[in-house]
Amino acid sequence: MWSYILKRILLMIPTLLGVLTLTFAVIQFVPGGPVEQAVHELRRGEQGTSFGMRQHTGVDAQQVAQLRALYGFDKPPLQRYFLMLGRFARFDLGDSYFRHQSVWSLIVSKLPVSISIGLWTFFITYLISVPLGIAKAVRNGSTFDITTSLLVLIGFAIPGFVLGVLLLVLFGGGSFWQLFPLRNLTSDNWATLSLGGKIADYLWHITLPIIASVVGSFAVITMLTKNAFLDEIRKQYVLTARAKGLSERTVLWKHVFRNALLPLIVGFPGAFIGAFFTGSLLIETLFSLDGLGLLSYESVVRRDYPVVLGTLYLFTLIGLATKLISDLCYVWVDPRIQFEQLER
């Protein structure tokens, strides 16, 4: 086991280097970098109005040189690349060009929103999809199975942001009823509310974003659960258990359930960890929720490269570690799988 873990950790290094190198190389050719963005803001800030006349002063070469030195662009690309790798090796993600704070503090400040959306989506999806998938497998081919399949597939086909717009129009005061707030996770007076009031206020704000996020997630988990149960139900050990006179309930929950849930259990680490970092950009933007998705988008638009590269490095590292944990879980929950088989 330890040799397998060591090999996987060593393989993470070239993967990380590949992702960072490719992104860094692409950044060098993207027009409108942070220096150009800063120059544009300076020029716009120097425009004024005096007696109704518009004034404008340019940015001289010395100021541009100072900006290049400030952002580190006075150094050759290769030197900047190795400086970046050195910082990342120490888990120093650097400072934002435009927000005037560290990338770490930015990520931490945006986590509550992304955690709220991700965890609610994760738990609601599994709490509904797993029982529904089991019920569909037991009633395979029935009217219930066909109807629920149609419903979850319709939900899967509707993009989350389209459903979000519809919910806002219907229940956010767009054209019909204003039953739910349009932005933020809490009200402005949240700090003055009682404990019960805080919980009710939070749930009131999070209802529409969560509905828009979870509806499209039901189909995958539901159909995966159904197909896993159908595969197990058709196996020989189930026929043997029935032949021994065991009740259908005992066969289903004591024998089939444990084996059929192996694929879902293995996927738990990835789904759970991913819930912290996979907030939907469109959902966050639509409902004015300032999370990691919105941060990443704004950083790309403003060419805030420390935030772009820092978050990419962190999320890639977490994704690789989560994949390793998922593989280890597979071996722990199913003793028939050996580490030698995973290495093939």
Side-chain angles (χ1 to χ4, degrees):
M1 179 181 74
W2 293 111
S3 62
Y4 173 76
I5 294 175
L6 180 60
K7 290 178 182 178
R8 289 292 301 273
I9 292 176
L10 291 176
L11 286 174
M12 291 181 186
I13 298 175
T15 304
L16 274 173
L17 286 175
V19 171
L20 291 175
T21 302
L22 180 61
T23 306
F24 185 86
V26 170
I27 282 175
Q28 307 311 307
F29 301 99
V30 175
V35 175
E36 289 79 4
Q37 297 267 351
V39 169
H40 175 71
E41 290 186 3
L42 284 174
R43 287 175 175 169
R44 186 174 57 183
E46 290 179 352
Q47 293 176 352
T49 303
S50 178
F51 299 105
M53 299 297 293
R54 193 177 176 87
Q55 296 179 341
H56 173 75
T57 58
V59 180
D60 57 31
Q62 183 179 359
Q63 289 177 301
V64 174
Q66 291 174 348
L67 287 172
R68 292 182 62 85
L70 176 65
Y71 296 141
F73 284 89
D74 57 331
K75 302 179 179 68
L78 193 60
Q79 183 179 355
R80 287 189 280 113
Y81 172 73
F82 284 109
L83 287 174
M84 178 194 70
L85 293 183
R87 290 199 314 271
F88 285 176
R90 303 188 303 270
F91 288 95
D92 178 8
L93 303 184
D95 298 320
S96 169
Y97 287 155
F98 303 104
R99 297 174 183 266
H100 308 295
Q101 61 184 120
S102 68
V103 177
W104 275 113
S105 62
L106 276 173
I107 292 174
V108 171
S109 67
K110 308 300 181 184
L111 272 179
V113 171
S114 296
I115 289 175
S116 293
I117 296 176
L119 288 184
W120 279 111
T121 301
F122 171 82
F123 286 118
I124 292 176
T125 298
Y126 274 84
L127 286 175
I128 293 177
S129 296
V130 172
L132 180 60
I134 296 173
K136 287 172 62 62
V138 174
R139 301 171 177 83
N140 185 39
S142 65
T143 303
F144 171 81
D145 179 36
I146 296 172
T147 303
T148 52
S149 294
L150 180 62
L151 291 176
V152 297
L153 290 176
I154 290 175
F156 181 74
I158 300 175
F161 72 93
V162 174
L163 179 60
V165 171
L166 178 61
L167 291 174
L168 286 176
V169 170
L170 290 177
F171 306 111
S175 299
F176 294 90
W177 307 281
Q178 189 169 1
L179 303 179
F180 296 94
L182 301 179
R183 57 181 60 87
N184 301 326
L185 288 180
T186 56
S187 300
D188 295 336
N189 64 334
W190 189 80
T192 63
L193 299 176
S194 63
L195 178 60
K198 290 180 178 179
I199 295 175
D201 182 75
Y202 168 75
L203 294 176
W204 182 46
H205 279 76
I206 205 69
T207 298
L208 294 187
I210 294 305
I211 292 175
S213 299
V214 303
V215 169
S217 305
F218 290 143
V220 175
I221 304 300
T222 300
M223 301 311 293
L224 177 62
T225 304
K226 175 190 173 182
N227 293 333
F229 268 78
L230 287 178
D231 289 341
E232 293 297 323
I233 288 173
R234 299 188 181 107
K235 290 184 177 179
Q236 184 63 40
Y237 75 89
V238 176
L239 298 177
T240 303
R242 288 170 174 167
K244 290 181 178 180
L246 296 178
S247 66
E248 193 67 24
R249 185 182 183 87
T250 302
V251 172
L252 179 64
W253 295 108
K254 188 176 181 180
H255 298 280
V256 175
F257 184 79
R258 180 178 57 185
N259 295 323
L261 285 187
L262 285 178
L264 295 176
I265 293 174
V266 172
F268 273 178
F272 187 77
I273 297 297
F276 290 85
F277 302 102
T278 55
S280 172
L281 165 64
L282 294 173
I283 295 298
E284 290 180 7
T285 304
L286 183 63
F287 291 95
S288 300
L289 303 175
D290 192 11
L292 290 173
L294 190 58
L295 171 66
S296 301
Y297 171 74
E298 291 178 347
S299 300
V300 171
V301 171
R302 299 197 67 183
R303 308 296 193 269
D304 198 345
Y305 295 147
V307 178
V308 174
L309 290 168
T311 53
L312 178 67
Y313 167 74
L314 182 63
F315 296 164
T316 303
L317 186 61
I318 291 174
L320 293 172
T322 302
K323 183 63 172 66
L324 173 59
I325 295 173
S326 296
D327 290 345
L328 295 177
C329 288
Y330 205 109
V331 176
W332 290 332
V333 300
D334 191 352
R336 296 171 297 178
I337 304 297
Q338 300 298 323
F339 284 100
E340 292 76 10
Q341 295 175 319
L342 295 176
E343 293 176 355
R344 294 174 186 173

